[in-house]
Amino acid sequence: MEIIEAYDLFRSYNGAAQFVGCSPNTVGKYVQARNAGQLIRQGQYERRPKATDKYAGVIEEAVDKSKAKVRAKAIHVRLVALGYSSQWPSKLALPKSLRCPAKVD
């Protein structure tokens, strides 16, 4: 279901966001654009570049070699050696495909 359809069903930014799996701010952006007569398709927005994009291969290799057991601090040390300039404990934004699934007890 698309964001606008979910909003029309729930009439709530939060309800639609929970149902679709996005931020309430995103729902608001889509609804305001629709009300202004603009056509927005999901996925139309470009992803902003991240500081770690240049090092995605290094991060992916470390995660694969360790079978997702490597700690972010260890990866950060490697990235700093390669010229990464962000300070720890800044969040290393990994692509969703590299993130470990949430543990279910």
Side-chain angles (χ1 to χ4, degrees):
M1 178 178 288
E2 289 194 19
I3 293 173
I4 293 294
E5 293 172 354
Y7 176 76
D8 289 340
L9 177 65
F10 291 101
R11 287 294 193 205
S12 160
Y13 290 170
N14 288 328
Q18 287 177 351
F19 187 76
V20 175
C22 68
S23 165
N25 295 337
T26 303
V27 175
K29 188 183 299 185
Y30 277 73
V31 171
Q32 289 172 0
R34 178 185 67 174
N35 293 343
Q38 299 172 349
L39 177 64
I40 294 182
R41 292 190 178 99
Q42 282 184 242
Q44 185 176 0
Y45 290 104
E46 291 185 29
R47 181 174 91 62
R48 290 183 300 184
K50 296 183 177 157
T52 56
D53 284 350
K54 188 163 80 171
Y55 305 100
V58 174
I59 296 169
E60 186 174 347
E61 181 183 344
V63 171
D64 287 345
K65 279 186 178 180
S66 70
K67 298 180 183 172
K69 301 286 184 188
V70 67
R71 295 183 179 271
K73 180 66 176 182
I75 293 175
H76 184 261
V77 169
R78 291 181 195 177
L79 296 182
V80 168
L82 295 172
Y84 182 67
S85 61
S86 181
Q87 298 294 315
W88 181 262
S90 67
K91 180 180 175 185
L92 289 175
L94 297 176
K96 285 185 179 180
S97 61
L98 297 178
R99 294 182 193 161
C100 295
K103 292 184 180 180
V104 178
D105 293 326

